[in-house]
Every structure is written in C-alpha cells, then in structure tokens.
Amino acid sequence: MFLLMLVTIVQAQIGTWNDYMSYTEVQQIVKGGNKLYVRASNSIYDYNLNDQSITTHSRAKDLNDVTVATIGWNSVSKQLLIAYNNGNMDLLDDNGNVTNIGDLYNKQNAIDKTILNIVMHQEKAYVCTGFGVMNIDTKRAVINESYMLN
C-alpha cells in the first residue's frame, strides 16, 4: 500500500515545475494601475490593491528569465518593463501577458549588458545600461534606438 502511494506521488510530480522564490528582501516597489509591483530578492510579485491578492511571477510560470535587475511601469502602455541581470527584458501587462524583448540579451558582441535603471516618458522606456542608453517603444515591444557612451 505504501509503495502504491509513493508511486502515485512521484507520478504527479514528473513534468511539472514549481518555483520556491524568496520574497523577503524588498528592493523596489512600482505602482501600476491598481497593483503594486514588487521586486524582492531579485524576483517579482504583484499586490492587487482592490482585493489584496498576491500574484508571483517567475520563469516557471510566465517570465522569460531569472534574477531581475530593475523594473519600471509605463502608464501609457500600461505595462511593467522587467529587466534582468543578463540584458534580457520582458513586458508584463495588467492581464498577465508577457512579451519578451531579447535583442540585447541575444547580441553576440562583448558589450556591458548590465541594466542599471529605467526611466519612462510617454510610451517610451529609456534603459540605462553599461554601454549607454536604449530607447524602447513599449507599445510595439521594440528597441527604437541605442546610444553608445564612452
């Protein structure tokens, strides 16, 4: 009987992923619509101000990478820009849809892809990096321009 229970438990775990993120160290909070987006312990969760619910976001569930460097809310496109330590970026909308912007991450030349800060203006996100500044159109999820600084 015990062996049958053990086999059933093991079969239920095969092919599924669970994330056990630590959210103890809050690093950044951004208000977007009726939610507070929180970067804590290099991960993301949102707190709904209307119903006090919490939704976690991770690579196992909906995001395209791990180890979040910084976040920024664009009030025009109503999306959260999530920048990762490796230069990858995601746009998360209010409905939980994610669009990846992987151009910087996929670039092969040896530039400093570190993302330091995000500044929003209208539908644009200006992303400060180790090599310079990128202008991202958050509505279209594309990098419009990049400026190399010496």
Side-chain angles (χ1 to χ4, degrees), residues 74 76-77 79 91 123-124 136-142:
N74 189 289
V76 175
S77 66
Q79 293 177 310
L91 284 168
E123 73 275 356
K124 306 285 191 256
I136 297 176
D137 184 331
T138 59
K139 284 187 175 181
R140 295 182 14 232
V142 295

Side-chain angles (χ1 to χ4, degrees), residues 12-148:
Q13 298 299 320
I14 294 174
T16 62
W17 287 92
N18 291 317
D19 56 336
Y20 300 99
M21 312 301 277
S22 171
Y23 297 102
T24 57
E25 182 186 322
V26 174
Q27 298 155 317
Q28 187 177 5
I29 300 173
V30 175
K31 186 175 187 311
N34 67 335
K35 295 181 181 177
L36 295 177
Y37 292 93
V38 181
R39 178 173 63 101
S41 303
N42 298 315
S43 300
I44 297 288
Y45 68 89
D46 66 63
Y47 175 77
N48 189 311
L49 296 169
N50 294 340
D51 63 11
Q52 289 79 43
S53 64
I54 293 176
T55 304
T56 59
H57 302 280
S58 68
R59 174 129 188 192
K61 291 169 71 176
D62 52 1
L63 300 180
N64 288 291
D65 221 315
V66 295
T67 316
V68 177
T70 189
I71 57 177
W73 176 258
N74 189 289
S75 58
V76 175
S77 66
K78 296 185 179 9
Q79 293 177 310
L80 182 74
L81 179 61
I82 304 167
Y84 303 97
N85 282 350
N86 60 7
N88 204 2
M89 291 175 278
D90 281 335
L91 284 168
L92 173 67
D93 71 16
D94 213 18
N95 297 321
N97 301 312
V98 176
T99 304
N100 183 249
I101 304 173
D103 296 338
L104 177 62
Y105 172 72
N106 293 325
K107 194 145 189 76
Q108 295 298 319
N109 57 353
I111 59 172
D112 184 357
K113 299 179 183 183
T114 307
I115 297 177
L116 305 168
N117 197 12
I118 300 170
V119 176
M120 298 293 180
H121 179 69
Q122 297 173 349
E123 73 275 356
K124 306 285 191 256
Y126 294 92
V127 179
C128 305
T129 69
F131 71 86
V133 178
M134 293 186 306
N135 173 341
I136 297 176
D137 184 331
T138 59
K139 284 187 175 181
R140 295 182 14 232
V142 295
I143 299 173
N144 284 334
E145 303 169 299
S146 60
Y147 308 96
M148 304 285 280

Side-chain angles (χ1 to χ4, degrees), residues 1-13:
M1 180 67 152
F2 175 72
L3 183 59
L4 180 61
M5 282 179 34
L6 181 61
V7 170
T8 304
I9 291 170
V10 170
Q11 286 179 345
Q13 298 299 320

